[in-house]
Amino acid sequence: QRTFDGANHAVLLKHLGEKVNIITKIDTVYIADAALFIFLNGESVGDKSFKLVIWSEEILALQAQGRSIHSNGIRFENMDYQWISVTGILSVHKGNPQVTLENPNQLQLLKDAVTAQNRLNSLPKKSPMHNKLPQKFEKPISEEAFWSEYLDNQKNLPPSAWYIPPSGTATPVNHPTNNVNNVKVSKWNPISTAVISVGSLVGGFALAAVFQNALFVVVGFGIGIYTIVRD
């Protein structure tokens, strides 16, 4: 649990419902009739103060440990203690932050103001990490998304610009673009290739039959192979 100075009421009220450790000085003690309950009031700020509430059962438990409560604080082994450290659930009553003692072990007696102040000074300070700006993380982009965005940007480039010579007459100057849409890609048509190849071979046989020369068959076969390799 976190530790707080019992005199810092504004901070305590921000942690209601939490289990906390309070270090405070007992300024006044209120003992109800028949010792049904006791209020140990810490340092006052205006009309507000931290209160430790002790009910009759815990009053008896403290007495069994040799600790008795009187109008000026807590007496233990013939010594009076005004500084205490108490752990419990922080609540509020009429604007006063308070903790109810449910077990004597929640209460620790501190020797003096120096001991209490040393305890408060030893608390860890707020981490400087809280003051750092949040880091900005770049989202990784896939290669496909990169090229898609690149080509879209290329489409938006102006196709031409105006060049103004020293004479003052403006003339349009075309600039080549890298737009992928301007590139003509020829696709291989296997049917056309097959027709050309078979036609070349049949033509070679026909010419060989007419002129009685087998060279025409070889030439036709070569044209067909060339057509396939070219496409």
Side-chain angles (χ1 to χ4, degrees), residues 53-102:
V53 182
I54 307 177
W55 295 100
S56 57
E57 294 84 354
E58 303 311 323
I59 295 174
L60 295 175
L62 288 171
Q63 291 175 350
Q65 294 181 356
R67 293 186 280 186
S68 61
I69 301 173
H70 58 89
S71 59
N72 196 36
I74 300 178
R75 175 163 293 181
F76 180 63
E77 295 180 350
N78 299 321
M79 291 185 62
D80 290 337
Y81 293 87
Q82 286 187 305
W83 287 89
I84 62 172
S85 172
V86 61
T87 301
I89 303 299
L90 191 60
S91 60
V92 63
H93 178 67
K94 294 184 178 180
N96 296 297
Q98 69 177 28
V99 168
T100 299
L101 193 71
E102 298 177 352

Side-chain angles (χ1 to χ4, degrees), residues 153-222:
N153 292 335
Q154 292 296 317
K155 294 178 183 178
N156 298 326
L157 291 176
S160 63
W162 289 90
Y163 169 69
I164 303 178
S167 62
T169 304
T171 57
V173 178
N174 292 327
H175 296 279
T177 66
N178 294 326
N179 194 334
V180 69
N181 295 331
N182 294 332
V183 180
K184 293 183 179 180
V185 180
S186 59
K187 296 182 179 180
W188 175 54
N189 191 330
I191 297 178
S192 301
T193 303
V195 170
I196 295 174
S197 301
V198 173
S200 300
L201 186 59
V202 171
F205 276 112
L207 293 175
V210 172
F211 294 99
Q212 300 295 318
N213 191 337
L215 181 61
F216 291 102
V217 177
V218 176
V219 172
F221 182 75

